[in-house]
Amino acid sequence: MTDVGNAVELVRGAKRRKKMGSRNNKRPRMMGGSGNKVKIDKKMKKLFQKRAREYNSDDDDDDGEKAPRVKKESKILVRSHEEEVGDEEFSEGEEERKDVNADVELSEDDENGEIQPGITKFTEGCRAFRAAFMSILKKNISDETLGPILSANKKLVAEKLAEEEAERKVKGEARKAKQLVGEKGHVKPATYLDSHEKFLIGVATKGVVKLFNAVNKAQHAQKGLNPSRTKDAKAINKRRKEAFFSELGKPTLSATNSNAKLNTSGGAADTEGPAWAPLRDNYMLTNSKLKDWDKMPDNMMTAAEDNGRVLEDSSSDEDD
Amino acid sequence: MARIGNKKKQRFVKPIKVKKQSEVDHVTGEKIPKSFVFSRGKLPGPLKQLQMDLRKLMLPYTALNLKEKKRNNLKDYLNVAGPMGVTHFLMLSKTETAPYLRVARTPQGPTLTFKIQEYSLAVEIAQSQLRPRCPKDLFKNPPLIVLSGFGTGDQHLKLATIMFQNIFPAIDINTVKLSTCQRIVLLNYNKDTKLIDFRHYSIRLQPVGVTRRLRKFVQNHQVPDLRSLQDVSDFVTKAGYGSESEADDEAATVTLASDLGRVNQASTKSAVKLQEIGPRLTLQLIKVEEGLCSGGIIFNEYGGEKKQDNKSDKKKAQEVASSEDEDEDMNEDESEGQEVDDED
């Protein structure tokens, strides 16, 4: 057995040496372009070699402790029996590998050659691991919500999780309910204009048109007169004065009058007293307008009916 | 040393002038109504947004950045309102059943309580539109207000009409500039459902009979794209798309007294176009009180018409308990208002 092993090892060693040689040949090629630049002194080379040796020897020690592994060529023959047995297997495996990975290996580092058997070893370790793993995977697991739990107090964990779930559910519901209450009455508008909205826009448009026409009518008289010029301002004032006095002449606004025109914002106060604000009894009293709102005459309501709306503007009763 | 002292003495400190907004409109001689929009109790997110929207709607005579604290009660606002000349309060509150809007006249009332059946925020309105419109000076002038369908003869509706008419400053049609009329608030009362639709639109004027191309050309100051045209005259003569039919609606056209902007000339016809700004509210008037969130109940939607001269607190409390048991927040406020009265 030992002989055979040794023989194998020798063959292997030779092979290896050969390989090493080839690799050494390749090495400069690998260095490629940088080869010219880096010039190594003999001294330095020696130093490096020494260091490398030291490094490798360290490696060896570790390996010896950890797992059986292929040593350097120089140590091959001195190795123990067990290791050789192990190596035999490796070498077989390695050869197969080499065929496949020959190209790859060529470009690899010096150290690789030594580590490689270790990799093979790892493969074996993998096998065991795989077996263990497969056994776990093959296991039938009862269909539980929690899945496999390794700890002994499976029940306790399950309970806890269920409790949490329930708690979260309750909280979520509460939040949802609160949000729902907060959103009460909140409606997202439609992207199109439905008939009701169109109707409302129509009503509003009518109101605007009415106001603008009234403004046009009132301001048309002043047209061509620039209020900033004194002459025009005088003319405007004169007209206003006339309108004012004519307004004074009327005791109250008749119902028909207010019907025909837009309603005034003043409401009750406007319809009872003179149109011009300072002439009213309750001029600038804070709450004057709403004091006797229920004693307001009916004309304003009729106006609202007639127009379908009550448009706000102040002194539409003056005609100038 | 002395010189320096002298210098210090001589230094003139310019007195800080507090620019006062005119309290009284110089033309009509009426007090300019101002408003506070605030909340009673804690509001959820969307309602806070609605409050902000309402503040924007009430611009410019409102406190846009009114800061509220939890411990502020109605009396605090009332105390501030006096010196500031605030005439109206808009209060938002919320109960389990619905949000509520109260519109009150200060300092003595009355108070209208509306239940907000539905509401949409201004943001959502803008999102629902293809081209939301918001010119820079849109909120610089108070809106017009249009009330429609309120003339049914009911007392409470009449009161609501007056309230809303006075919430914005009055317009003098002799002096008003049409360029200041940018927005409109519409309140439409539906007799059948007893609901009030509250809408807020922006007003836009477009000249009638001018092609879209020309209008855009005048508005934008940009060199038009003439690639597809054979001749320059095509630009003027060729009709645009079929959207012109909308503008031809005779009811929506006005003749302007003065030029408005670059495109709307005086003496030419212009079409009035409204675009919604939001917020959009559907309100139900449920209660009218005499005082500011207190006093006798003039109108109650649920309890029917109550006697108007109902002054005794006991009776009122009973009424409240019977008719408004769902509305806790309001009761709270009512008691608050009573407190104010007592202290006064």
Side-chain angles (χ1 to χ4, degrees):
Chain A
M1 184 64 191
T2 51
D3 286 349
V4 177
N6 277 343
V8 171
E9 277 310 309
L10 278 175
V11 170
R12 232 177 69 86
K15 226 179 192 178
R16 174 158 290 209
R17 216 168 284 130
K18 204 172 139 197
K19 203 183 105 192
M20 288 285 285
S22 71
R23 200 175 295 132
N24 283 340
N25 290 342
K26 299 280 176 193
R27 208 173 170 180
R29 209 201 283 168
M30 202 183 74
M31 295 288 280
S34 63
N36 295 342
K37 285 179 190 170
V38 183
K39 278 186 180 173
I40 304 168
D41 290 339
K42 266 189 181 174
K43 233 183 181 178
M44 289 300 283
K45 204 174 180 182
K46 257 183 192 174
L47 188 75
F48 284 142
Q49 274 172 350
K50 196 186 162 193
R51 276 189 188 169
R53 223 177 295 136
E54 277 169 12
Y55 181 77
N56 286 336
S57 70
D58 263 15
D59 248 3
D60 285 349
D61 287 344
D62 286 346
D63 292 341
E65 284 164 23
K66 277 178 184 171
R69 220 187 138 194
V70 180
K71 309 285 174 177
K72 279 181 170 176
E73 293 100 327
S74 56
K75 289 182 184 175
I76 284 173
L77 294 175
V78 207
R79 279 186 315 158
S80 67
H81 173 67
E82 303 163 335
E83 284 175 355
E84 280 162 16
V85 175
D87 282 349
E88 203 179 314
E89 280 179 22
F90 302 156
S91 59
E92 281 167 17
E94 192 192 2
E95 267 168 26
E96 286 171 18
R97 263 179 61 91
K98 245 189 236 162
D99 292 337
V100 181
N101 297 343
D103 295 358
V104 180
E105 270 175 345
L106 283 179
S107 60
E108 270 172 1
D109 227 10
D110 241 10
E111 298 272 77
N112 260 353
E114 277 138 59
I115 290 170
Q116 215 145 39
I119 292 170
T120 3
K121 184 76 183 170
F122 180 68
T123 323
E124 200 211 24
C126 256
R127 239 175 259 151
F129 186 69
R130 198 181 69 176
F133 198 76
M134 286 302 281
S135 71
I136 292 175
L137 281 180
K138 271 177 196 167
K139 232 185 207 170
N140 245 348
I141 299 156
S142 55
D143 279 338
E144 278 182 81
T145 49
L146 293 172
I149 287 178
L150 295 178
S151 68
N153 45 8
K154 200 172 176 179
K155 215 173 173 185
L156 209 131
V157 172
E159 258 175 29
K160 212 171 187 179
L161 281 175
E163 208 172 85
E164 258 176 34
E165 185 82 0
E167 216 168 82
R168 210 187 309 136
K169 223 176 202 176
V170 169
K171 264 187 190 170
E173 270 171 13
R175 204 185 303 134
K176 226 176 208 174
K178 201 181 168 190
Q179 205 175 359
L180 215 71
V181 169
E183 289 277 327
K184 204 152 215 172
H186 191 187
V187 178
K188 290 266 160 80
T191 49
Y192 58 91
L193 279 179
D194 58 9
S195 59
H196 185 59
E197 294 301 322
K198 268 184 186 161
F199 164 72
L200 290 177
I201 285 182
V203 169
T205 309
K206 255 191 237 166
V208 174
V209 167
K210 200 143 196 169
L211 170 73
F212 277 26
N213 283 336
V215 168
N216 185 33
K217 201 176 156 195
Q219 293 186 354
H220 193 74
Q222 306 168 12
K223 215 179 169 190
L225 300 175
N226 188 0
S228 55
R229 275 168 58 199
T230 43
K231 203 177 171 187
D232 291 350
K234 259 183 197 170
I236 291 171
N237 275 343
K238 200 179 167 191
R239 262 181 222 176
R240 285 218 180 125
K241 220 175 184 177
E242 279 165 14
F244 169 65
F245 279 122
S246 68
E247 203 67 47
L248 269 186
K250 298 175 199 166
T252 50
L253 289 169
S254 62
T256 49
N257 196 12
S258 72
N259 264 355
K261 279 159 197 163
L262 295 166
N263 213 295
T264 61
S265 65
D270 263 351
T271 45
E272 277 169 357
W276 197 46
L279 286 176
R280 291 175 208 142
D281 299 333
N282 47 15
Y283 174 58
M284 277 178 67
L285 291 175
T286 42
N287 203 24
S288 62
K289 275 166 209 150
L290 296 171
K291 216 175 181 176
D292 45 3
W293 59 272
D294 45 352
K295 291 159 205 152
M296 198 174 47
D298 274 10
N299 58 1
M300 117 141 235
M301 263 162 37
T302 48
E305 273 169 27
D306 278 11
N307 297 341
R309 92 200 63 85
V310 181
L311 188 73
E312 167 181 330
D313 56 51
S314 64
S315 51
S316 57
D317 309 298
E318 290 180 35
D319 286 342
D320 53 330
Chain B
M1 189 66 192
R3 213 180 276 165
I4 294 166
N6 280 345
K7 255 188 184 173
K8 269 191 180 171
K9 272 177 194 170
Q10 282 167 5
R11 191 181 290 161
F12 173 70
V13 181
K14 199 177 175 189
I16 301 160
K17 274 186 187 171
V18 182
K19 201 184 171 191
K20 264 196 168 181
Q21 266 188 320
S22 57
E23 297 261 318
V24 176
D25 194 64
H26 62 279
V27 182
T28 51
E30 282 178 45
K31 220 176 156 189
I32 291 176
K34 294 176 186 174
S35 57
F36 272 165
V37 183
F38 55 90
S39 62
R40 310 290 298 131
K42 202 169 179 261
L43 293 183
L47 274 176
K48 269 184 199 159
Q49 272 284 313
L50 182 68
Q51 179 185 322
M52 207 55 216
D53 289 345
L54 279 175
R55 279 184 189 170
K56 277 189 95 176
L57 183 141
M58 297 302 291
L59 278 177
Y61 301 111
T62 192
L64 187 64
N65 299 316
L66 182 67
K67 295 278 182 293
E68 302 163 66
K69 276 179 189 164
K70 206 176 171 186
R71 48 182 284 271
N72 284 142
N73 55 20
L74 203 55
K75 204 184 169 190
D76 294 339
Y77 295 109
L78 203 58
N79 284 340
V80 179
M84 303 278 275
V86 173
T87 54
H88 289 84
F89 281 170
L90 274 80
M91 289 164 275
L92 274 170
S93 59
K94 195 197 138 291
T95 64
E96 291 288 309
T97 47
Y100 290 85
L101 172 72
R102 271 171 297 166
V103 183
R105 173 88 197 211
T106 61
Q108 283 136 335
T111 309
L112 310 176
T113 305
F114 296 97
K115 189 178 186 178
I116 301 176
Q117 299 279 0
E118 281 177 4
Y119 67 93
S120 304
L121 305 175
V123 190
E124 291 155 359
I125 299 281
Q127 275 170 354
S128 73
Q129 287 168 349
L130 210 61
R131 282 174 213 278
R133 176 175 182 266
C134 187
K136 248 185 286 167
D137 49 352
L138 188 63
F139 292 101
K140 280 190 179 151
N141 293 106
L144 314 171
I145 187 155
V146 169
L147 302 166
S148 161
F150 278 83
T152 53
D154 291 331
Q155 292 278 324
H156 61 276
L157 285 180
K158 216 191 295 175
L159 181 60
T161 311
I162 297 168
M163 181 73 102
F164 279 113
Q165 273 177 343
N166 288 311
I167 213 164
F168 297 113
I171 301 163
D172 179 19
I173 58 165
N174 286 310
T175 52
V176 70
K177 281 182 186 161
L178 288 185
S179 58
T180 61
C181 303
Q182 292 263 355
R183 297 181 289 144
I184 184 164
V185 172
L186 170 74
L187 283 129
N188 182 52
Y189 181 75
N190 192 334
K191 236 184 272 178
D192 306 324
T193 55
K194 291 190 176 179
L195 295 179
I196 300 168
D197 292 307
F198 184 100
R199 298 287 185 277
H200 185 208
Y201 301 103
S202 74
I203 301 171
R204 189 176 43 165
L205 288 171
Q206 275 182 357
V208 177
V210 182
T211 56
R212 180 190 156 81
R213 239 184 222 156
L214 275 182
R215 203 176 62 230
K216 291 282 170 205
F217 176 54
V218 175
Q219 266 173 341
N220 295 344
H221 295 267
Q222 277 168 358
V223 180
D225 184 10
L226 299 174
R227 271 179 303 182
S228 57
L229 303 175
Q230 298 293 323
D231 194 74
V232 182
S233 62
D234 285 356
F235 183 75
V236 183
T237 53
K238 223 177 188 179
Y241 300 104
S243 63
E244 302 300 320
S245 59
E246 242 179 271
D248 290 334
D249 187 9
E250 196 56 42
T253 55
V254 291
T255 315
L256 298 177
S258 56
D259 293 4
L260 189 64
R262 288 175 56 81
V263 284
N264 295 297
Q265 298 277 323
S267 79
T268 60
K269 286 240 165 195
S270 287
V272 175
K273 295 205 166 180
L274 300 186
Q275 189 171 358
E276 187 160 10
I277 314 172
R280 187 187 283 183
L281 300 169
T282 307
L283 306 168
Q284 184 189 10
L285 183 60
I286 55 168
K287 192 165 68 171
V288 178
E289 288 161 297
E290 257 178 20
L292 182 66
C293 298
S294 61
I297 293 171
I298 296 165
F299 165 77
N300 199 324
E301 173 68 29
Y302 300 125
E305 296 268 351
K306 296 287 170 189
K307 267 188 269 173
Q308 284 175 24
D309 50 353
N310 187 6
K311 291 272 159 69
S312 74
D313 279 5
K314 212 177 175 183
K315 256 190 178 176
K316 189 181 64 198
Q318 278 173 0
E319 270 175 22
V320 168
S322 62
S323 59
E324 292 268 306
D325 34 8
E326 52 174 351
D327 197 351
E328 298 153 33
D329 190 29
M330 239 166 277
N331 291 347
E332 238 174 42
D333 283 337
E334 219 160 62
S335 60
E336 224 170 80
Q338 280 164 28
E339 268 175 37
V340 172
D341 283 353
D342 293 342
E343 276 161 331
D344 286 342

